[in-house]
Amino acid sequence: MRLRALLETEALGLRLLGGEEELDRSVRGVMTTDLRDPSRYLTGGELVLTGLAWRRNSADSEPFVRILASAGVAGLAAGEAELGDIPDDLVSACQRHRLPLFAVNEDVAFATITEYVVRQVSGERAGDLAAVVDRHRRLMTSGPAGGGPDVVLDLLTTDLDLRAWVLSPTGRQIAGAGEPLAPGICAALAGEHLAAVRTGRRGPHRISIQGITYSLFPIRGAGRGPAGPGGRDVRESVLSDWLLAVEADAGDWPAERLDLLQGVTQLIAVERDRRDAARTVRRRLAQEVLELVQTGAAPAEIAARLRVAAPVLLPGLGAAPHWQVVVARVDWEGGDIPAGPVAQSLLEEILVDPSASGPEPSDRIAVAHTGEEAIALVPLPARPGEPGEDKGPDAALHADELLGTVREPLQAGLDGDGRLTLGVSAAVHSAEGLRGALEEARHARRVAAARPGRVCAAGHHELASHVLLLPFVPDDVRRAFTARLLDPLRDYDRRHRAELIPTLEAFLDCDGSWTRCATRLHLHVNTLRYRVGRIEQLTARDLSRLEDKLDFFLALRMS
């Protein structure tokens, strides 16, 4: 496909501003970006689409164009929606670097241009793919009413008799044709996909669950090209890419059918990019509030920004809601991986209720990133009450519940050299409380980071408990302490099947009450007394003493 063909397509609304002598350049792909330096995502031959959000002043145009020209892109198309006319400094920079420049009419969506280029570049596909793409184009030209990825999946079912679902990296179902998949199956598919991508296996990846074979295809948006030797590190996007799960065994498919599915993933990627673009406003709101909080701005100024954020995140809400802060961090062993954007995308996904239905639920989540951390500002509607009365939040986030359904696939995505740690603050109802909530969430995340495991979380309630101290006990001290107290009991249980460890746990949990403990264990009190006596004999401790009870309690918690 040549650049010249873009100008000849009236529906694209492109106007040439310079570079007429370069219009015979070949276009091998398309990328939408507002990064000041998108070089890491460029491979050459792309038509680059930009809304010009990267431009702060006239001096920014030259370095941006120089980066594109050095990467060998085919041309640049700039939208007129943000600034109106395309700035002269951008036109001049493109002329100096012989880079063709197009203006995109504000009435034309970037998605329309992206779909056109994708279809043209992949035009040598099988006839069934051409039919699917063409029908999808006709449905999508009317705008969002076209139905997004659900339309594409319905076409796969009606035209090719293939059932398929789009899943997030945590296993949340984003779209599907027919009956939704069970949550357990979604989690297993996402985990298999992440493990396959992390280990470099060639796709499509196949997995059999309950006698049904699924084939898994990655869905990568603009700037998410294939990773591999000499290219982008797979860890930069593995925790944010969607996947397409097809109920079929693609192992014996002909090349034409595999090409078909690859084309479908590109169409779905257009919708993914559209949703990512919609998050820009919410991310910006979160970044602005975060900067005000961290720089010690006046509460009145922070409150003003919250009043702006509330209608965007909770449409129709009359009063300012309560807020919670969630801090997440992804750490990789070795390599210079920009962890902030990875954690930002992942936290946006984790904070979506897996069972949520209706409009895109992530519309109510604002996540910023600073350094290596991602920080979420989560609004919580207040419970109904009398005017002026603070009834508290309607529903607060809990650390363990956030990771409950996503732990399995994320462990596969972290694959032995990565960790996700997450901290959750208490709910606050005023701007004055946000700084404390941020520090609380950060401290809770550090508590989670001190624990073993690839995926760990901690909440604000743990900061006022003994559990705050336990993670910071050195490993060698922890092992020595627990071994001295518990190994004699474990050895005895192993030889005699005496269940001394479960008896000790129940006895402490019942606050040393003989009657309640015997009832819980379904034992006679005399049997319980015999077991407790054996525990004291083997350990030389006295369970009637508070100090010894506390030592046993800590040993059990650290083991």
Side-chain angles (χ1 to χ4, degrees), residues 237-464:
S237 62
V238 67
L239 297 178
S240 59
D241 284 341
W242 288 357
L243 67 132
L244 176 67
V246 181
E247 188 181 293
D249 187 345
D252 55 357
W253 280 5
E256 292 82 1
R257 180 57 61 89
L258 290 173
D259 272 354
L260 183 154
L261 267 296
Q262 295 295 345
V264 168
T265 63
Q266 292 179 0
L267 289 174
I268 297 173
V270 173
E271 178 64 18
R272 170 63 193 272
D273 291 340
R274 179 181 298 167
R275 295 191 185 189
D276 281 351
R279 291 180 174 179
T280 302
V281 173
R282 300 190 299 279
R283 287 177 171 179
R284 187 176 301 162
L285 282 172
Q287 196 72 44
E288 290 174 356
V289 174
L290 175 62
E291 289 175 359
L292 291 175
V293 171
Q294 293 192 131
T295 56
E301 187 177 359
I302 299 174
R305 296 308 304 164
L306 290 179
R307 284 194 293 273
V308 172
V312 174
L313 302 177
L314 285 176
L317 190 67
H322 291 71
W323 303 90
Q324 266 183 292
V325 176
V326 181
V327 174
R329 177 168 174 150
V330 175
D331 292 291
W332 302 104
E333 297 174 7
D336 184 16
I337 311 299
V342 175
Q344 182 181 41
S345 296
L346 186 57
L347 187 54
E348 286 173 336
E349 178 59 37
I350 289 174
L351 290 173
V352 176
D353 183 351
S355 61
S357 59
E360 177 60 41
S362 65
D363 286 350
R364 300 181 179 182
I365 298 164
V367 183
H369 73 83
T370 175
E372 301 300 300
E373 288 181 333
I375 300 171
L377 188 66
V378 183
L380 303 170
R383 290 180 293 175
E386 296 298 325
E389 180 184 4
D390 181 17
K391 298 292 289 184
D394 184 49
L397 301 174
H398 297 280
D400 290 336
E401 292 177 4
L402 284 177
L403 297 181
T405 59
V406 303
R407 192 181 302 273
E408 177 186 344
L410 289 182
Q411 285 175 338
L414 295 165
D415 191 41
D417 68 342
R419 291 196 74 207
L420 167 67
T421 51
L422 184 146
V424 181
S425 79
V428 297
H429 68 277
S430 67
E432 290 88 344
L434 270 184
R435 186 175 183 85
L438 175 59
E439 291 306 315
E440 192 173 58
R442 280 177 165 161
H443 198 65
R445 191 207 65 79
R446 288 192 287 269
V447 170
R451 294 172 175 166
R454 293 288 168 187
V455 181
C456 299
H460 61 92
H461 61 281
E462 300 183 57
L463 302 184

Side-chain angles (χ1 to χ4, degrees), residues 450 466 468-479 481 558:
H466 63 277
L468 173 64
L469 303 176
L470 296 186
F472 299 98
V473 177
D475 288 343
D476 54 345
V477 175
R478 183 194 304 262
R479 285 191 294 268
F481 181 72
M558 290 192 295

Side-chain angles (χ1 to χ4, degrees), residues 42 71 84 90 119 123 133 163 174 192 282 313 329 374 400 422 469 525 528:
L42 298 172
L90 180 60
R119 287 190 296 107
V133 172
R163 298 180 66 207
I174 295 165
E192 172 64 20
R282 300 190 299 279
L313 302 177
R329 177 168 174 150
D400 290 336
L422 184 146
L469 303 176
V525 173
L528 176 61

Side-chain angles (χ1 to χ4, degrees), residues 45 66 356:
R66 187 191 316 118

